[in-house]
Amino acid sequence: MKPMSAHRELRAGSGRPTADDDPGTSGLARDCSETSWKRLPMDSVDVRYADRTNLQAGDLDDSRPALVDPFGREISYLRVSVTDRCDFRCVYCMAEHMSFLPKADLLTLEELDRLCSAFIARGVRKLRLTGGEPLVRRGIMTLFGTLSRHLASGRLDELTLTTNGSQLGKYAAELAAHGVRRINVSLDTLDPDKFRAITRWGALDNVLAGIDAAQAAGLKIKINTVALKGVNEDEFAELIGWAHGRRMDLTLIEVMPLGEIGEGRLDQYLPLSLVRARLSERYSLEDLDYRTGGPARYVRVAETGGRLGFITPLTHNFCESCNRVRVTCTGTLYMCLGQEDAANLRKPLRASEANDLLHAAIEEGISRKPKGHDFIIDRRHKRPALARHMSVTGG
Ligand SMILES: C[S@@+](CC[C@H](N)C(=O)[O-])C[C@H]1O[C@@H](n2cnc3c(N)ncnc32)[C@H](O)[C@@H]1O
Ligand code: SF4
């Protein structure tokens, strides 16, 4: 990487993803990116991060209005699943033998950048990369690098990710260098055998080492724990003590009925209302107004001083303040995690080098954002409420 003092201009080139980085790169996408990169004066942005040399045509186009859905909710948060693949096979998320998308169907890194940048031009201030496991996508650091230009320009408040932690030892320092400040790490148990049983392929030691590396790199961590009946329900008090002792918030998540996973959801589902009642016997939980823009509701645990979140899609409706949409690694825009309705963004993305068709498709999709979701788990609904897995939309 060249020292910034050597640059008098921001220009295309250094740090930009190349076709070779990414098995899914198509010729069209490569041509698009090469014709749309353009020189911009150095003083047009506040330069703070390593790979801020990548301003593209369209980045500074403010002429289009912010995205607002039919219920007046401004879309300021985008989650992008950069791959449906994963190095774990968590029992609530995937079947052990999953079939994954052909690599050719995936958006290239350049296309993902263009897509994210289009949303940022329309008012998205927070961008979360997820998956599958985002850190197993080949070349993913290049995407963090190019996207960091939006942090440098002040157009994006936060660039973050949700990860299973397995690759953090390798990437934590680089993530921090690209302007990532806070990350979510999923961890359901501190018992190595149980960890292996839940994730099927994961190793607890490796994830704990990844958490150490992330903290050493200065990243703030929030732990996400899926509450699983009869599996980790006896461990929440210990997990809270551990996370808060390391200055990490912890959020408990109810299992959501997404995708066929080969065993009954009823067996896994544990209502968090019950968990909270049980935790109240051990801890003093004080309700907080704190919000992260997401569905979690937080309490302060008086004994530890730390924050504990509850994401309760099934016992509570969190839709009224929903400011987010999701895009899959194939460029499908889901306006709601809990509904099937979607818009194809890959087609307009690939149909033209200019972004007009893409913006039109985004607007059309947002105009169909529903008021809320319809998750149900009960004895009459044994099938998943939605056919797609969480690894497709990324949680
Ligand atoms: C799909 S994962 C993707 C990111 C990364 N692989 C990870 O595990 O953090 C995102 C989050 O969704 C959660 N998750 C997956 N399937 C779920 C389900 N059916 N219900 C509730 N949460 C789920 C995971 O525990 C994780 O916290
Ligand atoms: S929850 Fe995350 S780590 Fe576990 S299988 Fe799903 S995508 Fe992979």
Side-chain angles (χ1 to χ4, degrees):
M1 189 185 316
K2 294 171 193 157
M4 278 316 293
S5 56
H7 288 268
R8 296 314 306 155
E9 293 176 318
L10 294 178
R11 64 183 182 80
S14 60
R16 176 158 65 99
T18 66
D20 296 339
D21 286 323
D22 179 16
T25 300
S26 71
L28 176 59
R30 191 171 63 233
D31 291 340
C32 288
S33 70
E34 277 168 7
T35 50
S36 64
W37 292 70
K38 103 181 182 191
R39 287 169 182 259
L40 288 158
M42 178 73 164
D43 54 10
S44 63
V45 292
D46 168 17
V47 177
R48 279 176 294 168
Y49 301 113
D51 289 299
R52 65 290 240 198
T53 51
N54 292 322
L55 277 192
Q56 293 187 38
D59 279 0
L60 301 181
D61 175 10
D62 276 337
S63 57
R64 297 172 201 274
L67 297 169
V68 180
D69 81 1
F71 304 94
R73 296 170 297 191
E74 265 188 45
I75 307 305
S76 57
Y77 184 4
L78 175 67
R79 289 187 175 216
V80 179
S81 175
V82 296
T83 176
D84 63 331
R85 287 161 198 256
C86 188
D87 51 348
F88 291 2
R89 290 289 181 278
C90 302
V91 290
Y92 48 79
C93 179
M94 294 188 184
E96 183 154 20
H97 303 287
M98 289 282 288
S99 28
F100 293 108
L101 295 163
K103 289 208 170 115
D105 286 1
L106 262 56
L107 295 187
T108 65
L109 296 174
E110 293 95 330
E111 288 168 331
L112 284 166
D113 181 292
R114 211 177 128 205
L115 190 85
C116 293
S117 301
F119 275 95
I120 292 165
R122 305 297 299 271
V124 160
R125 308 276 325 168
K126 177 170 173 178
L127 176 59
R128 178 179 299 279
L129 302 193
T130 176
E133 173 49 40
L135 296 182
V136 303
R137 171 92 194 238
R138 187 135 69 100
I140 192 65
M141 285 302 119
T142 315
L143 183 61
F144 277 101
T146 59
L147 289 172
S148 71
R149 72 187 183 279
H150 298 296
L151 293 171
S153 72
R155 279 153 191 274
L156 191 63
D157 294 331
E158 187 170 15
L159 174 61
T160 185
L161 77 156
T162 301
T163 174
N164 65 22
S166 68
Q167 309 296 315
L168 278 176
K170 192 167 156 193
Y171 290 129
E174 225 177 318
L175 287 168
H178 290 317
V180 174
R181 294 288 167 259
R182 302 188 304 169
I183 62 173
N184 289 355
V185 179
S186 305
L187 182 73
D188 303 326
T189 176
L190 290 170
D191 176 308
D193 296 330
K194 228 187 261 182
F195 187 87
R196 169 67 66 163
I198 294 172
T199 63
R200 291 196 187 102
W201 296 1
L204 179 65
D205 278 1
N206 183 34
V207 171
L208 294 180
I211 289 173
D212 289 343
Q215 288 195 315
L219 299 177
K220 265 193 99 188
I221 297 179
K222 179 164 79 72
I223 299 291
N224 282 339
T225 301
V226 176
L228 298 165
K229 190 163 119 190
V231 178
N232 61 359
E233 62 181 304
D234 56 341
E235 265 197 82
F236 301 139
E238 186 194 348
L239 274 161
I240 290 167
W242 169 78
H244 290 178
R246 296 189 56 147
R247 302 176 317 284
M248 303 184 290
D249 289 347
L250 184 132
T251 295
L252 296 170
I253 305 173
E254 273 175 358
V255 164
M256 293 177 234
L258 296 182
E260 204 59 72
I261 51 164
E263 53 192 284
R265 299 268 174 202
L266 257 186
D267 298 342
Q268 300 176 339
Y269 177 58
L270 178 64
L272 289 187
S273 47
L274 188 65
V275 174
R276 182 174 171 154
R278 282 190 206 150
L279 285 172
S280 302
E281 291 168 13
R282 162 118 178 231
Y283 289 125
S284 313
L285 308 179
E286 301 154 5
D287 283 316
L288 292 176
D289 281 338
Y290 175 77
R291 294 274 188 280
T292 56
R297 296 292 173 259
Y298 285 90
V299 297
R300 168 91 51 211
V301 179
E303 289 78 0
T304 63
R307 259 190 312 243
L308 172 65
F310 295 93
I311 297 185
T312 55
L314 303 173
T315 53
H316 243 267
N317 205 300
F318 52 65
C319 304
E320 69 283 350
S321 60
C322 181
N323 62 352
R324 64 188 57 195
V325 290
R326 295 168 167 84
V327 177
T328 69
C329 54
T330 56
T332 303
L333 169 67
Y334 282 99
M335 287 72 80
C336 172
L337 178 64
Q339 303 275 4
E340 295 283 11
D341 192 26
N344 180 343
L345 301 185
R346 187 176 59 183
K347 207 167 160 202
L349 194 61
R350 290 186 172 168
S352 150
E353 291 179 11
N355 281 346
D356 298 337
L357 293 174
L358 175 62
H359 280 293
I362 292 172
E363 279 165 28
E364 194 278 326
I366 299 300
S367 77
R368 286 190 277 124
K369 184 167 163 64
K371 199 167 177 192
H373 67 66
D374 310 314
F375 286 137
I376 307 170
I377 295 179
D378 69 16
R379 291 188 192 285
R380 282 173 296 120
H381 298 80
K382 292 221 163 172
R383 296 179 58 71
L386 294 175
R388 67 179 190 274
H389 291 86
M390 191 69 115
S391 50
V392 172
T393 33

Short mmCIF file of all heavy atoms in Angstrom, two decimals, residues 86-90 95-98 100 195-203:
data_model
loop_
_atom_site.label_atom_id
_atom_site.label_comp_id
_atom_site.label_asym_id
_atom_site.label_seq_id
_atom_site.Cartn_x
_atom_site.Cartn_y
_atom_site.Cartn_z
N CYS A 86 -20.19 -21.26 4.42
CA CYS A 86 -19.75 -21.11 5.79
C CYS A 86 -18.83 -22.26 6.17
O CYS A 86 -18.96 -23.36 5.62
CB CYS A 86 -20.97 -21.09 6.72
SG CYS A 86 -20.52 -20.68 8.42
N ASP A 87 -17.95 -21.99 7.11
CA ASP A 87 -17.07 -23.06 7.60
C ASP A 87 -17.66 -23.76 8.82
O ASP A 87 -17.03 -24.65 9.38
CB ASP A 87 -15.66 -22.50 7.91
CG ASP A 87 -15.69 -21.26 8.79
OD1 ASP A 87 -16.77 -20.69 9.00
OD2 ASP A 87 -14.62 -20.87 9.29
N PHE A 88 -18.85 -23.35 9.27
CA PHE A 88 -19.60 -24.05 10.31
C PHE A 88 -20.90 -24.59 9.71
O PHE A 88 -21.29 -24.20 8.61
CB PHE A 88 -19.98 -23.11 11.46
CG PHE A 88 -18.82 -22.62 12.32
CD1 PHE A 88 -17.51 -22.96 12.07
CD2 PHE A 88 -19.08 -21.81 13.42
CE1 PHE A 88 -16.47 -22.50 12.86
CE2 PHE A 88 -18.05 -21.33 14.23
CZ PHE A 88 -16.75 -21.68 13.95
N ARG A 89 -21.57 -25.42 10.46
CA ARG A 89 -22.89 -25.92 10.07
C ARG A 89 -23.81 -25.88 11.29
O ARG A 89 -24.25 -26.93 11.80
CB ARG A 89 -22.81 -27.38 9.57
CG ARG A 89 -22.12 -27.55 8.24
CD ARG A 89 -22.96 -27.02 7.09
NE ARG A 89 -22.29 -27.21 5.81
CZ ARG A 89 -21.36 -26.39 5.33
NH1 ARG A 89 -20.97 -25.33 6.02
NH2 ARG A 89 -20.82 -26.62 4.15
N CYS A 90 -24.07 -24.69 11.83
CA CYS A 90 -24.86 -24.59 13.06
C CYS A 90 -26.22 -25.27 12.89
O CYS A 90 -26.88 -25.08 11.86
CB CYS A 90 -25.03 -23.14 13.46
SG CYS A 90 -23.44 -22.33 13.70
N ALA A 95 -28.58 -27.29 7.33
CA ALA A 95 -28.49 -28.74 7.39
C ALA A 95 -27.01 -29.09 7.22
O ALA A 95 -26.22 -28.29 6.73
CB ALA A 95 -29.31 -29.35 6.26
N GLU A 96 -26.61 -30.28 7.65
CA GLU A 96 -25.19 -30.62 7.56
C GLU A 96 -24.72 -30.66 6.10
O GLU A 96 -23.63 -30.22 5.77
CB GLU A 96 -24.90 -31.96 8.25
CG GLU A 96 -23.41 -32.26 8.21
CD GLU A 96 -22.95 -33.16 9.33
OE1 GLU A 96 -23.80 -33.85 9.93
OE2 GLU A 96 -21.74 -33.17 9.62
N HIS A 97 -25.57 -31.19 5.25
CA HIS A 97 -25.17 -31.29 3.84
C HIS A 97 -25.98 -30.28 3.04
O HIS A 97 -27.04 -30.59 2.51
CB HIS A 97 -25.38 -32.71 3.33
CG HIS A 97 -24.61 -33.70 4.16
ND1 HIS A 97 -23.24 -33.80 4.10
CD2 HIS A 97 -25.01 -34.56 5.12
CE1 HIS A 97 -22.83 -34.70 4.97
NE2 HIS A 97 -23.88 -35.18 5.62
N MET A 98 -25.49 -29.09 3.02
CA MET A 98 -26.18 -28.01 2.32
C MET A 98 -25.73 -28.00 0.87
O MET A 98 -24.58 -28.29 0.56
CB MET A 98 -25.77 -26.66 2.92
CG MET A 98 -26.30 -26.39 4.30
SD MET A 98 -28.02 -25.90 4.26
CE MET A 98 -27.91 -24.25 3.59
N PHE A 100 -24.93 -25.32 -1.93
CA PHE A 100 -24.70 -23.88 -2.03
C PHE A 100 -24.87 -23.41 -3.45
O PHE A 100 -24.91 -24.19 -4.40
CB PHE A 100 -23.29 -23.56 -1.50
CG PHE A 100 -23.17 -23.81 -0.03
CD1 PHE A 100 -22.43 -24.88 0.44
CD2 PHE A 100 -23.82 -22.99 0.88
CE1 PHE A 100 -22.34 -25.13 1.80
CE2 PHE A 100 -23.73 -23.24 2.24
CZ PHE A 100 -22.99 -24.31 2.70
N PHE A 195 -20.08 -26.67 21.93
CA PHE A 195 -19.79 -25.80 20.79
C PHE A 195 -19.67 -26.63 19.52
O PHE A 195 -20.24 -26.30 18.48
CB PHE A 195 -18.49 -25.02 21.04
CG PHE A 195 -18.21 -23.98 19.99
CD1 PHE A 195 -18.74 -22.70 20.10
CD2 PHE A 195 -17.45 -24.28 18.88
CE1 PHE A 195 -18.51 -21.74 19.12
CE2 PHE A 195 -17.21 -23.33 17.90
CZ PHE A 195 -17.73 -22.06 18.02
N ARG A 196 -18.96 -27.72 19.63
CA ARG A 196 -18.79 -28.61 18.48
C ARG A 196 -20.14 -29.20 18.06
O ARG A 196 -20.46 -29.29 16.87
CB ARG A 196 -17.79 -29.72 18.84
CG ARG A 196 -17.69 -30.85 17.87
CD ARG A 196 -17.11 -30.46 16.53
NE ARG A 196 -15.72 -30.06 16.64
CZ ARG A 196 -14.88 -29.98 15.60
NH1 ARG A 196 -15.29 -30.27 14.39
NH2 ARG A 196 -13.64 -29.60 15.77
N ALA A 197 -20.96 -29.57 19.05
CA ALA A 197 -22.25 -30.16 18.73
C ALA A 197 -23.16 -29.13 18.03
O ALA A 197 -23.88 -29.46 17.08
CB ALA A 197 -22.92 -30.69 19.99
N ILE A 198 -23.13 -27.89 18.49
CA ILE A 198 -24.00 -26.86 17.89
C ILE A 198 -23.51 -26.48 16.49
O ILE A 198 -24.29 -26.40 15.55
CB ILE A 198 -24.06 -25.60 18.77
CG1 ILE A 198 -24.76 -25.90 20.10
CG2 ILE A 198 -24.80 -24.47 18.05
CD1 ILE A 198 -24.69 -24.77 21.12
N THR A 199 -22.21 -26.24 16.37
CA THR A 199 -21.68 -25.74 15.09
C THR A 199 -21.31 -26.87 14.12
O THR A 199 -21.01 -26.62 12.97
CB THR A 199 -20.41 -24.88 15.31
OG1 THR A 199 -19.39 -25.72 15.88
CG2 THR A 199 -20.67 -23.71 16.23
N ARG A 200 -21.30 -28.07 14.62
CA ARG A 200 -20.89 -29.29 13.91
C ARG A 200 -19.42 -29.26 13.49
O ARG A 200 -18.71 -30.20 13.71
CB ARG A 200 -21.76 -29.53 12.67
CG ARG A 200 -23.21 -29.92 13.01
CD ARG A 200 -23.87 -30.51 11.78
NE ARG A 200 -25.29 -30.78 11.92
CZ ARG A 200 -26.26 -30.02 11.43
NH1 ARG A 200 -25.97 -28.90 10.78
NH2 ARG A 200 -27.51 -30.35 11.58
N TRP A 201 -18.93 -28.16 12.89
CA TRP A 201 -17.57 -28.14 12.34
C TRP A 201 -16.65 -27.15 13.06
O TRP A 201 -15.48 -27.04 12.69
CB TRP A 201 -17.59 -27.74 10.85
CG TRP A 201 -18.31 -28.71 9.96
CD1 TRP A 201 -18.93 -29.87 10.32
CD2 TRP A 201 -18.46 -28.60 8.55
NE1 TRP A 201 -19.47 -30.48 9.23
CE2 TRP A 201 -19.20 -29.72 8.13
CE3 TRP A 201 -18.06 -27.67 7.60
CZ2 TRP A 201 -19.54 -29.93 6.78
CZ3 TRP A 201 -18.39 -27.86 6.29
CH2 TRP A 201 -19.13 -29.00 5.87
N GLY A 202 -17.16 -26.42 14.03
CA GLY A 202 -16.36 -25.33 14.62
C GLY A 202 -15.56 -25.79 15.83
O GLY A 202 -15.84 -26.82 16.45
N ALA A 203 -14.54 -25.00 16.20
CA ALA A 203 -13.73 -25.28 17.40
C ALA A 203 -13.74 -24.03 18.29
O ALA A 203 -13.39 -22.93 17.84
CB ALA A 203 -12.30 -25.63 17.01
#
